[in-house]
Each structure stands twice: as structure tokens, then as C-alpha cells.
Amino acid sequence: MARPPRRRAVTPRTRPRAGHPRGRSGVPTPSPPGQGTRRRAGDPHLPALEPARRLPRRDSGTPRRGQGPGRSHGGPRGGAGLLQRSRRPGARQGQGQGRAGLARGTRHRGGAGRRRGRRLADPRGPRTDELPSRRGVRHPRAGHRRGRRGQNRRRSAPLPSRGVEVSRPAVTDPSPWQFPLPHETRLDNGLRLWRIHLPGQRLVAAELVLPAPVAMEDRRLEGVAAVALHAADEATRSHPDVIEQLELQGAALGGSTGWHHTHLSLSVPARRLPTALRLFAEVVMEPAYDDDAVAHHVEALDAAWRQRMAAPAGRAPQQLRAALFGPECREGRELTGTADTLAAIRPDDVVAWHARHWHPAGATLVVAGDLEDLDDTSLLSPFERWHPGVPTETPEPSARDRGGCVVVDHPGAAQTVIRAAQFTPGRHDPSWPALKLGGHAMAGAFSSRLNLELRERRGFTYGVSGGVAPRRHGGWFTVAAAVANESAAECISLLHQHLALPEDLTAEEVADCARFLVQVAPLSYETAGDIAHQSAVLAAAEEHPRFVNEVNARYATTSAAEASETWRRLISPERLTVVLVGPAEQLSRDLERAGIAHEVMPATP
């Protein structure tokens, strides 16, 4: 008979494996009485070690509860038992041996950790947190619960005893807020300055509004207004490195092209505003318009146009304008031009557009921020040498409610994008506050009727957006959503049903909308940039910033009956123009089944 292999004697540790020779408090941990008979040579302060002894033999058996087949503790080859894992000869990884015979009635979880049932004597000695400290204080580990990986977990704060009443603050309406009003000054060349002092706003925002309507563009060169804006900050005649100079001042430039105006913006710390304004004036008055800069931005605008046309979400807004205004009106075509018109633009065309439309006549400069150390003269001095020009008249587009449903074919679209609009009166109409509240209750808020119906109840879309918004002349009500192709026809039917307003707007709906529009204003106009931009928009619409305060005051006095009557009088499903961009074959078939008259249009460039 083969002799069984000899087992090695194991000298267990007197503390956990991850411990330090000294306790966590820096004091050596003593050995309990009767446990140690030998001390380590060279250091009398180290705890005594118990004599070497054999561990009981572990026979193979069924794995204990909580131990997978790949967790083994011991084997026929001599090992350390609890302190070492081993495999039996020839066994694959994952086929370990069980652990049996240590103590009757004892159950174990995985590893040599927590024990349930009768507690065993630990061959490594008692736990460190059970030993007294030499200083007579409690060991730092004592009383702490340990996490699954040995990390200490903090004890939660004690809960208040029963019977203790916790007072909660009352929720009240915020204090009234007013939009800051500007101080107005004019230069002899026609430039108007709106100076808005905001104490504490150390980041100053300036925005210049230029009356440069894109309707004055040559139809063969549509997009030249956008190229003139985007290439203006590449270089000036005085400073070819104007961008680097502005960055040294911590300034940032921005801008946008609209149907009737061009906006340029500047953001800079208040103490560097005078220097940044001089550079900003150079960008406005003397841009270089090099050939390379113009060609670069023509290419960038062309790429942006192609990207928009490649997706239904980018194509739908332009198709809606084409259906509302028609191809002969400038607003019925692309704002920044198409690939054909952009390719025809040359640097001379950009210079000519700048000379005709970038002048101070009719322009407004809005400066908002902490302007305590700056007067009107220092703000306007960089623009005094700006040569005056002839004011540009902004033509009024021929807006008309076409009505009906238009399907624009976009083969292979994964979903259908819906855009709908109807023209309404504008800011000057007495019914504007009631109309604005009705639009917010119908499509503007998350709890609006259309969003609750199409998203929450039906699950057709991730969300519906829209509402009543002002335009340069009048206003319009818009709705936007993206739905699955097979749900588009049903969504149009539900849209028509809700816009007919079969049930009056409730007093709670109108009050919630009024409360939101008024109380969100301080957040919407939190920074100097927000206030400067809103003031510039009002200046372009020939409105004064006091309009914000006036319309907010009228929201609170509008009743639910007035909002319902105004809605039924001005909004009609028959006058609503709906555009669907998606697979025309499937959409047309579903709309016919739903009894919705429509026409199919090819995608316009």
C-alpha cells in the first residue's frame, strides 16, 4: 500500500492576514494568555507565537453551502487548510474538494470568513478587535462593522425618536422679479446703445443687431449673408490675428443670421471690456474677407446643409416653411442657401454685402453686466468712426395658412417627423397673453394635452414640443414630434381632435401655465448673456424690454374662459398645415385609411 503523503506543519498567524505587525492605533497587540509559548527573536514587544501543530485531515466531500465547485480548501497533498487553496492531482480548475469533519453541526459560507451555527476555535488566535489595548482604550477596530471586502462602513445617524415632530418649510411663491430696463444713448451715425447695469455680473455680454434681411440677397447668391457673418472674425485689416488678440482678453465671439437681422455677440470679463470692444468694432467695421477664409466657410455651410438634408429631422423645418410661404418667398427657401447658391459665392460678393448692410443706421448695441466703472462714452467710442449708411427696409413676407397635410418622401426613414404650424397674431395684439397661455397648455409644457395624449397614454413618441411664438410680423403656433411610421396617421387624427378644443381649458391648467411662464423668467434671464440676447431680440422686433414685464403681469389676470375663447377663435384644425417627412408609400396608405386628405411632394433642395 502506498504511503500517504506527509503533511507539513503550519504555523498560523496570530492576527488577520491583512493586518500590520502593530495594531491600527500603533500599539503592539499582545498575545492572550495560554496561546503563545515562543516569542520572535530580536523584538520582545512582538506577540508570542503558538507552537506548530497539525491540522485535522480534510476528506473530500460535498461542497458546503455558499461554496461553488471551484472553491476548494485542502486536498490529499499537504496544504495549509484554511490558509491555502489546493487542487487534487489531475483535477481541472473548478473541481475542488469539499470540507467536512471539522465540527459537527457547523455550517460555513464561502472562504474562511463568517461562520454560522456553533463557533469554532480559530487556529490563528482570537480576533484583533477582541484584544484589549495596552493603553487601556478600546481598539480602533472594535465596534465597527466591516463591508463585504473588509472596508469599514460608517454607522448611520440615529433616527429621531417617535413622537418628535419635524417641521417642514412652507412652499410660497417667490418674490416678484422684473426684467432690467436699459439706459438708451445714440451716436450721430445712428447707432443706438442699450446699457444695462447688472451689479455683480462680472462677465459682460454685448450683442449687436444689424438690420440685414436675407430677402435682399441675390437669388443666385443665397447664403452670402451667412458667409459674411462666419468669415468676419477670421482677420481684420488692422489685426490679421484678431482671434488671438481676443483670446488674450478672455473674450468669446458669436453670431447668428436670421431672416431679418444679423446678430453678433461678445462675452468678456468686465475689466477687459474696453480693449475687447475695440477689437469687436474692428470685426464689425473692417473684416478682411480673405479668399481662403471665404472658401473655407462656403465649404462648411455646404457640408452643414447636406447634413441637414440627410435626416428627416433636419429636412422637416425647411419643408414646413416651403409649404407655408411657397418657393417664391425668401422664407420658403433655405436660410443659409443650398449647394448651388453657395458654390457661386465669391469674396467680392461677400465684401459687397458687408458694405451695403453692415452699417450703424438702424443698428442697436446692447451691453449688459457690471458696468459701474464704464460710462456710455467708453462703450461707444470704438464705433464713432463707423460710417453711416442707408437704413434697410425689411420686407414683410406673404404669410398664408395653406392648411392640409403634406407628405414629403424620405425613403428608408426609421421614423416619421411631424411638423405643423398656423399663423397667429403677434405681440401687439391684445389677445397675445391668452393665446400664449393656450399654446403652452396645448403643446408647450410636459403636462400639455398633446404630450399627455401622444406620449403618456399612447406611447407614440418620446415627447411633443411647440407652442405660440412671435415672429417679426405676427406670430405662429407650432407642433413638433417624431413617431413610428405606422403611428403617424393616428397621431395626425389625434392632433386635429385636440386642437379643436372639445373641452375648455381648466382654471388649474391656465394657472399652472401662468405660474410657470412668470416664475421661470428669473432662471431664463439668469446671466448677462441671457438678458443681452433677449433685449437684442426685442430691439430687432422694434419692441422695448419693458414688454417682458408687461406681458408677465397680464398672464396673472387671464382667465381660463378667456384663454379657451381666444384659442377657438384663432386656432383651427382646418387652417393647420401639417408636414410629414418619412416613407411616402407607407404614410400615404395609412392616411387614406384614416380618411385624411393629403398630397405627396418630392423633397425640395
Side-chain angles (χ1 to χ4, degrees), residues 280-296:
F280 180 66
E282 287 186 12
V283 172
V284 174
M285 293 185 293
E286 50 178 75
Y289 290 135
D290 298 332
D291 294 353
D292 293 341
V294 172
H296 167 72

Side-chain angles (χ1 to χ4, degrees), residues 43 77 81 104 217 221 263-264 335 371 392 485 492 507 578:
D43 192 348
R77 298 182 63 182
R104 181 177 298 176
E217 292 177 328
L221 303 174
H263 293 250
L264 291 93
L335 174 62
L371 307 175
T392 304
N485 296 330
I492 301 303
V578 182

Side-chain angles (χ1 to χ4, degrees), residues 320 323 403-407 418-421 492 495-496 573 576-580:
L320 177 61
C405 182
V406 178
V407 177
I418 300 175
R419 293 290 187 273
I492 301 303
L495 175 63
H496 288 159
L576 185 73
T577 302
V578 182
V579 172
L580 297 90

Side-chain angles (χ1 to χ4, degrees), residues 24 32 149 220 229 242 269 274 277 279 294 379 393 434 457 469 560-561 589:
R24 293 183 62 182
R149 297 184 180 276
R220 299 170 301 175
L229 171 68
V242 65
L277 267 182
L279 297 171
V294 172
L379 297 177
E393 295 292 335
R457 299 189 184 100
R589 183 176 58 252

